[in-house]
mmCIF file with all atom_site columns, all heavy atoms in Angstrom:
data_model
loop_
_atom_site.group_PDB
_atom_site.id
_atom_site.type_symbol
_atom_site.label_atom_id
_atom_site.label_alt_id
_atom_site.label_comp_id
_atom_site.label_asym_id
_atom_site.label_entity_id
_atom_site.label_seq_id
_atom_site.pdbx_PDB_ins_code
_atom_site.Cartn_x
_atom_site.Cartn_y
_atom_site.Cartn_z
_atom_site.occupancy
_atom_site.B_iso_or_equiv
_atom_site.pdbx_formal_charge
_atom_site.auth_seq_id
_atom_site.auth_comp_id
_atom_site.auth_asym_id
_atom_site.auth_atom_id
_atom_site.pdbx_PDB_model_num
ATOM 1  N N   . LYS A 1 186 ? 14.452 35.216 -0.214  1.00 89.00 ? 376 LYS A N   1
ATOM 2  C CA  . LYS A 1 186 ? 15.038 34.121 0.549   1.00 89.00 ? 376 LYS A CA  1
ATOM 3  C C   . LYS A 1 186 ? 14.513 32.759 0.109   1.00 89.00 ? 376 LYS A C   1
ATOM 4  O O   . LYS A 1 186 ? 15.277 31.858 -0.220  1.00 89.00 ? 376 LYS A O   1
ATOM 5  C CB  . LYS A 1 186 ? 14.777 34.328 2.047   1.00 89.00 ? 376 LYS A CB  1
ATOM 6  C CG  . LYS A 1 186 ? 15.436 33.271 2.931   1.00 89.00 ? 376 LYS A CG  1
ATOM 7  C CD  . LYS A 1 186 ? 15.202 33.550 4.404   1.00 89.00 ? 376 LYS A CD  1
ATOM 8  C CE  . LYS A 1 186 ? 15.878 32.494 5.263   1.00 89.00 ? 376 LYS A CE  1
ATOM 9  N NZ  . LYS A 1 186 ? 15.647 32.726 6.712   1.00 89.00 ? 376 LYS A NZ  1
ATOM 10 N N   . ASP A 1 187 ? 13.215 32.592 0.139   1.00 87.00 ? 377 ASP A N   1
ATOM 11 C CA  . ASP A 1 187 ? 12.639 31.280 -0.163  1.00 87.00 ? 377 ASP A CA  1
ATOM 12 C C   . ASP A 1 187 ? 11.233 31.458 -0.730  1.00 87.00 ? 377 ASP A C   1
ATOM 13 O O   . ASP A 1 187 ? 10.255 31.059 -0.108  1.00 87.00 ? 377 ASP A O   1
ATOM 14 C CB  . ASP A 1 187 ? 12.602 30.424 1.108   1.00 87.00 ? 377 ASP A CB  1
ATOM 15 C CG  . ASP A 1 187 ? 12.184 28.986 0.836   1.00 87.00 ? 377 ASP A CG  1
ATOM 16 O OD1 . ASP A 1 187 ? 12.263 28.576 -0.343  1.00 87.00 ? 377 ASP A OD1 1
ATOM 17 O OD2 . ASP A 1 187 ? 11.764 28.293 1.771   1.00 87.00 ? 377 ASP A OD2 1
ATOM 18 N N   . PRO A 1 188 ? 11.094 32.064 -1.918  1.00 95.00 ? 378 PRO A N   1
ATOM 19 C CA  . PRO A 1 188 ? 9.753  32.305 -2.458  1.00 95.00 ? 378 PRO A CA  1
ATOM 20 C C   . PRO A 1 188 ? 9.065  31.009 -2.867  1.00 95.00 ? 378 PRO A C   1
ATOM 21 O O   . PRO A 1 188 ? 9.659  30.156 -3.529  1.00 95.00 ? 378 PRO A O   1
ATOM 22 C CB  . PRO A 1 188 ? 10.008 33.213 -3.662  1.00 95.00 ? 378 PRO A CB  1
ATOM 23 C CG  . PRO A 1 188 ? 11.406 32.904 -4.078  1.00 95.00 ? 378 PRO A CG  1
ATOM 24 C CD  . PRO A 1 188 ? 12.151 32.550 -2.820  1.00 95.00 ? 378 PRO A CD  1
ATOM 25 N N   . ASP A 1 189 ? 7.824  30.859 -2.454  1.00 95.00 ? 379 ASP A N   1
ATOM 26 C CA  . ASP A 1 189 ? 7.011  29.707 -2.838  1.00 95.00 ? 379 ASP A CA  1
ATOM 27 C C   . ASP A 1 189 ? 6.038  30.059 -3.953  1.00 95.00 ? 379 ASP A C   1
ATOM 28 O O   . ASP A 1 189 ? 5.895  29.315 -4.923  1.00 95.00 ? 379 ASP A O   1
ATOM 29 C CB  . ASP A 1 189 ? 6.200  29.202 -1.632  1.00 95.00 ? 379 ASP A CB  1
ATOM 30 C CG  . ASP A 1 189 ? 7.066  28.616 -0.543  1.00 95.00 ? 379 ASP A CG  1
ATOM 31 O OD1 . ASP A 1 189 ? 7.948  27.808 -0.864  1.00 95.00 ? 379 ASP A OD1 1
ATOM 32 O OD2 . ASP A 1 189 ? 6.870  28.971 0.634   1.00 95.00 ? 379 ASP A OD2 1
ATOM 33 N N   . VAL A 1 190 ? 5.337  31.187 -3.782  1.00 97.00 ? 380 VAL A N   1
ATOM 34 C CA  . VAL A 1 190 ? 4.281  31.589 -4.701  1.00 97.00 ? 380 VAL A CA  1
ATOM 35 C C   . VAL A 1 190 ? 4.407  33.085 -4.965  1.00 97.00 ? 380 VAL A C   1
ATOM 36 O O   . VAL A 1 190 ? 4.696  33.860 -4.050  1.00 97.00 ? 380 VAL A O   1
ATOM 37 C CB  . VAL A 1 190 ? 2.876  31.292 -4.129  1.00 97.00 ? 380 VAL A CB  1
ATOM 38 C CG1 . VAL A 1 190 ? 1.780  31.780 -5.070  1.00 97.00 ? 380 VAL A CG1 1
ATOM 39 C CG2 . VAL A 1 190 ? 2.710  29.801 -3.848  1.00 97.00 ? 380 VAL A CG2 1
ATOM 40 N N   . VAL A 1 191 ? 4.196  33.492 -6.206  1.00 98.00 ? 381 VAL A N   1
ATOM 41 C CA  . VAL A 1 191 ? 4.116  34.910 -6.567  1.00 98.00 ? 381 VAL A CA  1
ATOM 42 C C   . VAL A 1 191 ? 2.735  35.158 -7.160  1.00 98.00 ? 381 VAL A C   1
ATOM 43 O O   . VAL A 1 191 ? 2.332  34.481 -8.120  1.00 98.00 ? 381 VAL A O   1
ATOM 44 C CB  . VAL A 1 191 ? 5.201  35.315 -7.585  1.00 98.00 ? 381 VAL A CB  1
ATOM 45 C CG1 . VAL A 1 191 ? 5.083  36.803 -7.924  1.00 98.00 ? 381 VAL A CG1 1
ATOM 46 C CG2 . VAL A 1 191 ? 6.589  35.007 -7.039  1.00 98.00 ? 381 VAL A CG2 1
ATOM 47 N N   . LEU A 1 192 ? 2.018  36.097 -6.564  1.00 98.00 ? 382 LEU A N   1
ATOM 48 C CA  . LEU A 1 192 ? 0.734  36.517 -7.110  1.00 98.00 ? 382 LEU A CA  1
ATOM 49 C C   . LEU A 1 192 ? 0.978  37.743 -7.983  1.00 98.00 ? 382 LEU A C   1
ATOM 50 O O   . LEU A 1 192 ? 1.556  38.734 -7.517  1.00 98.00 ? 382 LEU A O   1
ATOM 51 C CB  . LEU A 1 192 ? -0.257 36.851 -5.998  1.00 98.00 ? 382 LEU A CB  1
ATOM 52 C CG  . LEU A 1 192 ? -0.444 35.767 -4.921  1.00 98.00 ? 382 LEU A CG  1
ATOM 53 C CD1 . LEU A 1 192 ? -1.466 36.216 -3.892  1.00 98.00 ? 382 LEU A CD1 1
ATOM 54 C CD2 . LEU A 1 192 ? -0.850 34.444 -5.542  1.00 98.00 ? 382 LEU A CD2 1
ATOM 55 N N   . VAL A 1 193 ? 0.585  37.666 -9.240  1.00 97.00 ? 383 VAL A N   1
ATOM 56 C CA  . VAL A 1 193 ? 0.807  38.743 -10.210 1.00 97.00 ? 383 VAL A CA  1
ATOM 57 C C   . VAL A 1 193 ? -0.552 39.376 -10.486 1.00 97.00 ? 383 VAL A C   1
ATOM 58 O O   . VAL A 1 193 ? -1.418 38.767 -11.111 1.00 97.00 ? 383 VAL A O   1
ATOM 59 C CB  . VAL A 1 193 ? 1.446  38.199 -11.500 1.00 97.00 ? 383 VAL A CB  1
ATOM 60 C CG1 . VAL A 1 193 ? 1.803  39.349 -12.439 1.00 97.00 ? 383 VAL A CG1 1
ATOM 61 C CG2 . VAL A 1 193 ? 2.693  37.366 -11.174 1.00 97.00 ? 383 VAL A CG2 1
ATOM 62 N N   . ILE A 1 194 ? -0.730 40.614 -10.014 1.00 96.00 ? 384 ILE A N   1
ATOM 63 C CA  . ILE A 1 194 ? -2.046 41.248 -9.990  1.00 96.00 ? 384 ILE A CA  1
ATOM 64 C C   . ILE A 1 194 ? -2.033 42.516 -10.834 1.00 96.00 ? 384 ILE A C   1
ATOM 65 O O   . ILE A 1 194 ? -1.122 43.345 -10.718 1.00 96.00 ? 384 ILE A O   1
ATOM 66 C CB  . ILE A 1 194 ? -2.445 41.615 -8.541  1.00 96.00 ? 384 ILE A CB  1
ATOM 67 C CG1 . ILE A 1 194 ? -2.295 40.402 -7.607  1.00 96.00 ? 384 ILE A CG1 1
ATOM 68 C CG2 . ILE A 1 194 ? -3.862 42.172 -8.506  1.00 96.00 ? 384 ILE A CG2 1
ATOM 69 C CD1 . ILE A 1 194 ? -3.224 39.263 -7.894  1.00 96.00 ? 384 ILE A CD1 1
ATOM 70 N N   . ASP A 1 195 ? -3.051 42.675 -11.673 1.00 93.00 ? 385 ASP A N   1
ATOM 71 C CA  . ASP A 1 195 ? -3.253 43.923 -12.405 1.00 93.00 ? 385 ASP A CA  1
ATOM 72 C C   . ASP A 1 195 ? -4.019 44.880 -11.500 1.00 93.00 ? 385 ASP A C   1
ATOM 73 O O   . ASP A 1 195 ? -5.211 44.676 -11.231 1.00 93.00 ? 385 ASP A O   1
ATOM 74 C CB  . ASP A 1 195 ? -4.053 43.651 -13.677 1.00 93.00 ? 385 ASP A CB  1
ATOM 75 C CG  . ASP A 1 195 ? -4.308 44.914 -14.487 1.00 93.00 ? 385 ASP A CG  1
ATOM 76 O OD1 . ASP A 1 195 ? -3.911 46.013 -14.042 1.00 93.00 ? 385 ASP A OD1 1
ATOM 77 O OD2 . ASP A 1 195 ? -4.913 44.793 -15.575 1.00 93.00 ? 385 ASP A OD2 1
ATOM 78 N N   . PRO A 1 196 ? -3.366 45.936 -11.000 1.00 89.00 ? 386 PRO A N   1
ATOM 79 C CA  . PRO A 1 196 ? -4.033 46.822 -10.040 1.00 89.00 ? 386 PRO A CA  1
ATOM 80 C C   . PRO A 1 196 ? -5.178 47.623 -10.647 1.00 89.00 ? 386 PRO A C   1
ATOM 81 O O   . PRO A 1 196 ? -6.015 48.157 -9.919  1.00 89.00 ? 386 PRO A O   1
ATOM 82 C CB  . PRO A 1 196 ? -2.902 47.746 -9.566  1.00 89.00 ? 386 PRO A CB  1
ATOM 83 C CG  . PRO A 1 196 ? -1.912 47.741 -10.686 1.00 89.00 ? 386 PRO A CG  1
ATOM 84 C CD  . PRO A 1 196 ? -1.987 46.371 -11.287 1.00 89.00 ? 386 PRO A CD  1
#
Side-chain angles (χ1 to χ4, degrees):
K376 184 178 181 181
D377 187 18
D379 293 313
V380 177
V381 180
L382 308 181
V383 186
I384 308 294
D385 180 357

